[in-house]
Amino acid sequence: MQQSLFSDTPFRDGKNKKDGQGELNPSQYEAVTSIKGPVLVIAGAGTGKTRTLVHRTAHLVQTGIPPENILLLTFTRKASMEMIRRASLLMDESCHRVAGGTFHAMANMLLRRFGHHLGFERNFTILDRPDAESIINLLKSSLDLSRTGKRFPSKRIIMDIFSKSVNKSMPIDELLEGQYGHLINFLDDLHLIQKHYGKFKLEHGLMDYDDLLVNWQRLLAESPEAREAISSRFTHVMVDEYQDTNLIQADIVRLIADRLNNIMVVGDDSQSIYSFRGADFRNIMDFPRTFPNAKLIKLEENYRSSQAILSVTNSIIEKAAEKYTKKLFSRIEGGVKPIIYAASNDTTQARYVIGKIQDLMDEGIPLTEIAVLFRSGFHSYKLEMELTNNRINFEKRGGMKLTESSHIKDVLSFLRILTNPKDNISWNRLLLMLDKVGPKTAEKVLENIKSADDPLEALLNYPAGKSWKQGFESLLKMLLSLREPGLTPVDLFDRVMEYYDPLFKKIFPDDYPRRSRDLEQLRVILAGYHDLRSFIDDTTLDPPENIGKSGDPLSNPTDRLVLSTIHSAKGLEWDAVFVIHLAEGKFPPARAFLSDQLEEERRLMYVAATRAKRRLFFTYPREVMSADFMSVNSAMSPFLSEIPPVLVNSPGIHSSRRPAIPREKTLFQKDKPKSAKPTPGQTSFCPGMRVRHPFFGEGSIQAVKGPKTVEIFFPRHGKKTLRTDYTKLEILE
DNA sequence: CCATACCGACTTTTT
DNA sequence: GTCGGTATGG
């Protein structure tokens, strides 16, 4: 019935047959056409969530909503561009006027436009993580905190704390009590740094990622004028991946939609994987409370995966402690059972993957329809080497970003100062490049810029020390030359490189050839821009992946295997998916047992497995490299041993059974192993377990630190970290 | 105050 | 492999 209604609309997607379904199912249809009032869409993996958003965007435009009044908030810029592109295929070019992007990108745009209501400069610079951390370091030394015998927490940890505090809307006191208990002595110092950090950013026109969200929220909450302008501009708002929003983002959504209530959020609590960044899938559950007459729509038919794959993914998520039931079903019957493969080590794992990729290609699956996913960036190092040896092209997503390497940061510093002459962190970087200038000298010089109208002019009169006067003057002269009107971004880059190249070779004598390829890549990106500010903002908000060692960088980018962290694979799908490094202690990482992180790890495993359409492979090495370059035996991840054997094939391990791994290794269930002695090479310990040590007596396991290392608390002796292969531990019931 | 060299600790995930 | 702290010499 819906279909007949529907077939008159121009948003029938005849070309898009990839899900075997040219039109929308009743739930999708309802989500698409419910354009008034608040709507919550719970969309399981592969249920056509993106498709629904695409159609809805087209539908809104079709019903006469001006495209520029539509706001589509997504998790990545790529996702929103893709959706808008597809909507414009359904509807027409006007869809490109739809405002789309990440919360951070939208915040940036709005703060440049309306930020003056809160007293922000229009030309603020966005700090990425390394920038923010280097400010922390500057403050640490200027506040004279790095002294005193006690080891001060690193900039990394400090930023983690500050950022979590913002994203979880939790004061750092409370945060320290929980996750960072060991740092409680530094509470006062942290408060002090935090205060100065805020002041520093304000004085120098800087905003970190978190500030973008916070200040957008403040803009809506504190400036009636800005709020009116923004909420009347965006009359129809859609938010994708709502399970990965935090409280600030939820509040932004609330404030923006408050007036017309035309708000739709889409999410899946089972795929919430960003709690480390403050995301809380309870936002989904709270949505009906914030918007009392919200319509709830569930998308439950899976169009992506074969039933064989879906059975496995369902078994993974079934064990979740807390979930909101959706019953996913697929009409794609049968299919090939997923495979679990135990490789002897990292190298054989890589070779297995490559062998299978070649088989898949022989079966007619193109390279671009295959992906290899992993928990952490470094899990793919060996595979990257082997792929290069085998001349298979790949692109790696996740991990180190291009703009985070120091030579790129060096070059960007020159450009950033042009757009924001008060950008102290860039100035600092440039000054430190000069011979005979160190942290102290740089700090002294920079005291002169925060009050200056034109810092560059001010510095021209600065009495430089004899030993570095020359270098200082040529730096300023070069910066002045960049102000010449009419220069394109590429012109600027070339001028900067004229100055920087000799320094560059001096700073990186060992590997400047490799690094200079990054600079070339940067130049190519820059060539696509005519506005320097957009280039800088874009590369900070959506940093390009470091293409550094991805097979042959000159190869056709449309024919590449994707290697990706699971986080970066969110929302994507491939015909064949490999999930590698599913070894105990690696995925889930041992530290996940410490806190409440296990559930999130399970969802991560679920996200990984649900990316597959037709073929799914799980692999793990039986031997992993520990931190001290020792090879240690390792078992299968508990996530794998939990999967009912009948749902998978496990070659190399007795037909389809997997007796190699004792069932009690299922670390998530409360039943404990009965054996008193750990088998060599395997950990059968888990947190909470009671053990007896020949000397320390009875204790309880606090954490599993590695395959053979556990941390145990003994009431009479305190906390001990022990090697299970050296210590005879008796497990008590 | 700066440059260099060495040692030890730590390395999840991302806007 | 990389950051941070430290020791040494200029």
Side-chain angles (χ1 to χ4, degrees), chain A residues 96 230 354:
Chain A
H96 284 292
I230 294 168
I354 289 171

Side-chain angles (χ1 to χ4, degrees), chain A residues 6 11 110 115 190 299 348 411 448 538 542 566 640-641 648 696:
Chain A
F6 189 60
F11 50 95
L110 294 170
L190 289 173
L299 305 185
T348 50
V411 175
N448 295 282
D538 287 357
D542 185 23
I566 299 170
L640 290 183
S641 40
V648 291
F696 296 125

Side-chain angles (χ1 to χ4, degrees), chain A residues 78-138:
Chain A
K78 222 168 148 189
S80 79
M81 287 191 338
E82 173 65 9
M83 285 187 220
I84 289 170
R85 190 188 63 83
R86 280 170 58 184
S88 72
L89 291 180
L90 289 175
M91 187 55 212
D92 61 41
E93 280 302 301
S94 70
C95 290
H96 284 292
R97 304 208 306 270
V98 168
T102 61
F103 275 88
H104 291 85
M106 203 53 60
N108 177 46
M109 192 197 95
L110 294 170
L111 284 165
R112 293 210 188 276
R113 190 133 161 229
F114 300 107
H116 61 273
H117 289 294
L118 295 182
F120 294 119
E121 306 266 354
R122 206 170 284 262
N123 66 341
F124 62 83
T125 301
I126 305 167
L127 303 170
D128 66 9
R129 193 57 201 257
D131 294 333
E133 288 180 0
S134 65
I135 294 179
I136 300 295
N137 254 10
L138 288 180

